[in-house]
Amino acid sequence: MTFSQMWDELQPIGRDPGTGGYRRYAWTPVDATLREWFTGAAEARGLEVVLDRAGNQWAWWGNPDETPGVVLGSHLDSVPDGGAFDGPLGVVSAFAALDGLPARPSTPIGIVNFADEEGARFGVACTGSRLLTGALRPEAALALRDGDGTALGEVIGVGPEHVGRDEQTLRRIGAFVELHVEQGRALVDTGDAVGIGASIWPHGRWRVELPGEANHAGTTALADRRDPMLALAALVQQVRASAQRHDALATCGKVAVSPNAVNAVPSSVTAWVDARGADEARVRAVLAEIEAAVVAAGGRLVEESWTGSTPFTPSLSRELQAILGPVPVLPTGAGHDAGVLATAGVPSAMLFVRNPTGVSHSPAEHAEESDCLAGVAALTAVLAGLL
Ligand code: GLV
Ligand code: MN
Ligand code: MN
């Protein structure tokens, strides 16, 4: 089955007909369909599919317990109304790269589908790879709840006594190469279809709780209100101003208003802030300003996740450069499972495929088919070169 045929099979799964965006959240019926697709694609190629202690799917050729394998892959979940490429491009390209080898080698090959990379359901990005490496403690993971109150432990598909760092799976990975759509426009500017990842910017997520007092919208004088929406408005402005001041990026992209009624002053607002930057100092400076403003408004700010500056494994990235020749080497502001693995000491690297608009985490995310095929060719060359 060709790259395009696999791509076409995945297209309808989890796409919202209204927005055209994808709603592929971890451990939902849509995710189960994606996992079935992964199993089918793997079994059609004679690979053995296993689940690890973090709910990630691995498809193996050969015996990785004898010799660690070369692993390709990415994730199949999405952000709310995400694009088609972020994640699936890496998984489909992995199968296509395997198909592109002239013969199956004696060295094992793995293809992985990491669980809940976006953290869209349970709030923590890269849940599957963080659990696998122990960066996320099992007790903390099992206690995570989605917006409906369902605990991660109820849906992960691995008994709670088995969830956690998975030594056997980690030993099986000789090297991990994640191909991904570029989430920016650097390759447009350089005129290259494919680039190599250098490092991931430090980034984190924070929850902001802004208390208020519920009251009638038609009878409560403005002077008598404790309206948390005013604090939210100030927060949104503060996020932007602080990011600008420190030459960083910060976003307030998710808000929960309680009780969310048109004719009531809200009782509380919860907002989430995502902040990233070229170095930790500037991100921390942004957060310090935001926190001071939140506290002054009577609220509080809680760090939900933090990832420091993450270089991919330099020796492996150099091998990719040697195999692919002179292609751009790019930093990225987006988080990836390859970064989590690299931090845990698993040799990991990334390839990026040109995105003509740079738009990502949006239905408008795109890569031309010819660039996707150039990505597959690069990944095939990398796979062959690392075996
Ligand atoms: C993942 O795509 C992230 O960077 O949030
Ligand atoms: Mn993403
Ligand atoms: Mn991704």
Side-chain angles (χ1 to χ4, degrees):
M1 185 171 282
T2 64
F3 173 91
S4 306
Q5 286 166 329
M6 286 189 276
W7 196 251
D8 289 347
E9 281 184 349
L10 277 180
Q11 283 309 290
I13 306 173
R15 184 167 54 197
D16 181 76
T19 64
Y22 287 90
R23 299 178 181 176
R24 294 169 165 170
Y25 309 140
W27 299 299
T28 57
V30 166
D31 189 41
T33 306
L34 292 163
R35 285 168 176 264
E36 275 167 30
W37 177 86
F38 180 90
T39 301
E43 290 181 350
R45 291 167 172 82
L47 310 184
E48 189 194 352
V49 178
V50 291
L51 207 61
D52 68 13
R53 288 163 54 90
N56 306 306
Q57 282 184 300
W58 300 81
W60 286 106
W61 166 260
N63 183 352
D65 293 322
E66 272 176 13
T67 313
V70 177
V71 179
L72 312 177
S74 187
H75 61 95
L76 293 176
D77 68 311
S78 78
V79 296
D81 285 336
F85 294 81
D86 178 355
L89 184 62
V91 176
V92 171
S93 298
F95 285 117
L98 178 69
D99 294 345
L101 291 178
R104 289 287 172 88
S106 54
T107 306
I109 297 173
I111 297 180
V112 62
N113 169 25
F114 278 113
D116 204 8
E117 192 272 352
E118 300 288 6
R121 182 167 180 196
F122 290 102
V124 177
C126 297
T127 296
S129 55
R130 284 187 211 263
L131 254 179
L132 164 68
T133 60
L136 177 62
R137 288 180 302 105
E139 316 82 66
L142 290 168
L144 290 172
R145 290 188 180 274
D146 68 9
D148 296 329
T150 304
L152 181 145
E154 295 170 44
V155 296
I156 188 170
V158 181
E161 68 283 15
H162 298 301
V163 169
R165 182 177 159 94
D166 189 329
E167 299 294 351
Q168 183 187 27
T169 299
L170 289 168
R171 272 197 307 272
R172 291 174 160 189
I173 314 167
F176 174 51
V177 181
E178 180 173 3
L179 178 146
H180 205 278
V181 68
E182 191 193 0
Q183 296 168 296
R185 285 173 40 87
L187 293 173
V188 173
D189 293 341
T190 63
D192 295 275
V194 175
I196 294 173
S199 59
I200 299 176
W201 279 8
H203 59 282
R205 294 181 184 189
W206 291 263
R207 188 177 72 251
V208 177
E209 294 167 1
L210 302 168
E213 187 177 54
N215 216 329
H216 196 292
T219 60
T220 317
L222 295 180
D224 293 338
R225 297 181 182 200
R226 278 185 58 221
D227 185 350
M229 289 301 247
L230 297 179
L232 174 68
L235 171 73
V236 171
Q237 298 288 349
Q238 179 75 49
V239 164
R240 173 69 178 230
S242 295
Q244 217 144 18
R245 192 160 24 252
H246 297 286
D247 193 16
L249 296 174
T251 307
C252 182
K254 179 175 170 181
V255 173
V257 178
S258 187
N260 210 21
V262 66
N263 55 353
V265 175
S267 57
S268 67
V269 169
T270 306
W272 282 264
V273 174
D274 175 307
R276 313 180 187 216
D279 57 65
E280 175 164 353
R282 72 185 68 222
V283 183
R284 291 294 181 194
V286 169
L287 262 297
E289 288 183 7
I290 294 172
E291 183 165 28
V294 165
V295 170
R300 74 181 192 122
L301 180 140
V302 180
E303 184 171 294
E304 290 198 331
S305 68
W306 171 255
T307 307
S309 179
T310 308
F312 299 114
T313 310
S315 55
L316 183 61
S317 296
R318 279 196 298 275
E319 279 192 77
L320 266 56
Q321 288 173 55
I323 293 165
L324 297 179
V327 299
V329 181
L330 310 168
T332 176
H336 297 288
D337 297 307
V340 175
L341 263 58
T343 301
V346 178
S348 301
M350 287 195 76
L351 291 178
F352 294 126
V353 170
R354 176 166 51 194
N355 175 339
T357 62
V359 171
S360 186
H361 284 185
S362 150
E365 182 181 83
H366 187 65
E368 296 296 340
E369 187 174 355
S370 54
D371 285 351
C372 293
L373 296 179
V376 170
L379 192 63
T380 309
V382 164
L383 176 61
L386 294 177
L387 287 169

